[in-house]
């Protein structure tokens, strides 16, 4: 039987890239080992798809030996965390030990604007940059995948309340342009790379949506998708940051999001790439298409309106 392809973060929630990658590979008839943190209903759902499910911890060497042994191709991804660099190096060390032949690394597009003398205020961006350096030094056969901001992040997680309640997109992006990408498009790229990694070893791919525009443009796209007028309300970064902290968001995550807000205002997310189309043969989802697909999330229910 073929060596299984390892997919870490297979039970992740926001965007669910790992889960979608697992599903896409299984549909191609590939053997997939899906790594999860806990044995729960999400793990069972992966098992029901046909994946081999293993419970592991990226920070624990013993469990990572069990997770990686027998896999020649690895997809590495983990959530925003102050332990991100440790998780990367730990996984890389075990992958190197087991002779992994392809290591697909989920990074971030802002790394392309960073160097030994240039960073950003985001602690997570710095960890991503250092992780890429460590992977390059490791000698592993690495492919770096750098998506820009996810539609599921700011757009699906942070804008629905204000869109439902006041028909406003409230984000601290100023007039800056952005080109958000859908998790499903990122997953299609990852699955394509995992299915045939060798031609891509040593390369870096940048993933964006099909257009880079400011939030006033995207408010019009929301309006078209939802059939009602949606406007963009620019808000200051600091009060927005404080509100996220009050909601119980982790400080490391909030500091990262606040830095992304500042970078958007500065025009640093105005970037565009054809890599999704080139690697998958299918253009990425637009904001209008994404909002239409998730229209229920942005629309108050009839029952709620009556109340």
């Amino acid at each position: 039987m073929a060596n299984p392809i390892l997919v870490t973060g297979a039970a992740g929630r926001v965007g669910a890239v790992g889960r979608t990658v697992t599903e896409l590979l299984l549909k191609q008839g590939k053997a997939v080992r899906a790594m999860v943190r806990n044995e729960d209903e999400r793990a069972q759902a992966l098992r029901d798809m046909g994946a081999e499910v293993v419970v592991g911890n990226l920070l624990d060497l013993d469990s990572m030996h069990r997770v990686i042994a027998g896999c020649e191709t690895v997809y590495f991804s983990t959530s925003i965390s102050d332990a991100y660099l440790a998780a990367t190096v730990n996984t890389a060390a075990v992958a190197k030990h087991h002779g992994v032949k392809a290591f697909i690394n989920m990074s971030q597009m802002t790394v392309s604007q960073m160097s030994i003398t240039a960073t950003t205020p985001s602690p997570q961006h710095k960890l991503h940059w250092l992780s890429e350096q460590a992977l390059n030094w490791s000698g592993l056969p690495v492919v770096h995948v750098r998506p820009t901001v996810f539609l599921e992040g700011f757009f699906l997680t942070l804008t629905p309340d204000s869109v439902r309640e006041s028909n406003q997109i409230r984000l601290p992006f100023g007039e800056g342009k952005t080109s958000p990408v859908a998790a499903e498009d990122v997953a299609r790229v990852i699955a394509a790379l995992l299915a045939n990694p060798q031609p891509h070893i040593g390369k870096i791919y940048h993933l964006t949506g099909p257009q880079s525009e400011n939030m006033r443009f995207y408010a019009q796209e929301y309006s078209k998708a939802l059939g009602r007028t949606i406007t963009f309300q620019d808000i200051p970064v600091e009060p927005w940051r404080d509100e996220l902290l009050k909601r119980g968001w982790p400080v490391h995550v909030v500091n990262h999001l606040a830095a992304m807000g500042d970078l958007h205002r500065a025009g640093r997310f105005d970037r565009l790439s054809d890599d999704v189309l080139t690697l998958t043969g299918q253009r990425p989802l637009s904001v209008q298409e994404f909002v239409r697909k998730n229209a229920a999330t942005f629309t108050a229910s009839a029952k709620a309106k009556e109340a």
Side-chain angles (χ1 to χ4, degrees):
M1 185 173 175
N3 297 84
I5 297 169
L6 175 62
V7 176
T8 67
R13 294 183 187 278
V14 177
V17 171
R19 187 176 71 232
T20 305
V21 168
T22 300
E23 186 175 9
L24 289 171
L25 290 172
L26 289 169
K27 285 180 178 177
Q28 295 178 41
K30 305 292 185 183
V32 179
R33 180 178 294 170
M35 177 186 164
V36 299
R37 281 292 303 271
N38 302 292
E39 185 60 68
D40 56 17
E41 71 280 356
R42 290 176 295 160
Q44 186 56 47
L46 291 164
R47 195 173 284 114
D48 291 343
M49 285 183 199
E52 173 196 355
V53 176
V54 291
V55 178
N57 184 334
L58 294 171
L59 296 171
D60 179 69
L61 274 172
D62 288 339
S63 74
M64 289 313 294
H65 277 288
R66 179 167 40 79
V67 168
I68 292 175
C71 295
E72 294 184 346
T73 304
V74 171
Y75 165 54
F76 174 78
S77 176
T78 188
S79 56
I80 297 170
S81 163
D82 56 8
Y84 186 90
L85 178 59
T88 304
V89 175
N90 199 61
T91 305
V94 179
K96 180 88 170 179
H97 174 79
H98 287 281
V100 164
K101 295 180 179 178
F103 192 102
I104 314 301
N105 173 49
M106 172 70 84
S107 187
Q108 286 198 7
M109 201 166 178
T110 300
V111 173
S112 63
Q113 302 172 330
M114 298 170 66
S115 70
I116 194 66
T117 57
T119 186
T120 83
S122 162
Q124 186 66 29
H125 284 152
K126 179 69 174 296
L127 295 178
H128 272 281
W129 185 83
L130 286 171
S131 293
E132 283 201 19
Q133 304 308 301
L135 288 170
N136 293 340
W137 299 333
S138 75
L140 279 166
V142 178
V143 183
H144 295 299
V145 180
R146 297 173 177 170
T148 187
V149 60
F150 277 74
L151 280 164
E152 287 78 4
F154 281 93
F155 289 72
L156 193 60
T157 304
L158 296 171
T159 68
D161 288 350
S162 62
V163 171
R164 282 196 306 267
E165 294 163 11
S166 60
N167 291 321
Q168 288 185 333
I169 302 169
R170 298 175 58 83
L171 285 174
F173 285 5
E175 295 301 318
K177 292 183 177 181
T178 189
S179 54
V181 66
E184 66 183 76
D185 292 319
V186 176
R188 289 190 299 106
V189 167
I190 298 295
L193 295 174
L194 290 169
N196 183 29
Q198 291 309 312
H200 306 283
I201 299 301
K203 295 184 179 179
I204 299 171
Y205 294 108
H206 299 96
L207 311 184
T208 72
Q211 55 202 162
S212 183
E213 299 286 352
N214 66 23
M215 290 306 302
R216 300 190 194 285
F217 173 88
Y218 288 131
Q220 295 176 353
E221 297 299 283
Y222 270 67
S223 301
K224 293 172 186 174
L226 299 174
R228 63 185 200 271
T229 301
I230 307 298
T231 59
F232 170 59
Q233 178 65 48
D234 183 34
I235 54 177
V237 172
E238 281 306 312
W240 179 74
R241 178 184 180 278
D242 293 342
E243 180 60 31
L244 292 177
L245 290 172
K246 286 178 186 175
R247 293 188 202 172
W249 287 55
V251 174
H252 180 86
V253 175
V254 171
N255 287 340
H256 173 58
L257 296 177
M260 289 178 72
D262 286 331
L263 291 171
H264 268 93
R265 300 178 86 85
R268 293 275 295 277
F269 276 82
D270 181 12
R271 31 204 198 197
L272 210 53
S273 164
D274 291 328
D275 284 352
V276 172
L277 176 61
T278 300
L279 290 167
T280 69
Q282 182 179 329
R283 69 177 183 82
L285 209 63
S286 70
V287 167
Q288 184 179 153
E289 290 166 331
F290 180 82
V291 173
R292 187 174 289 118
K293 283 183 69 171
N294 294 280
T297 305
F298 297 100
T299 305
S301 68
K303 187 173 181 179
K305 288 178 180 177
E306 291 170 5

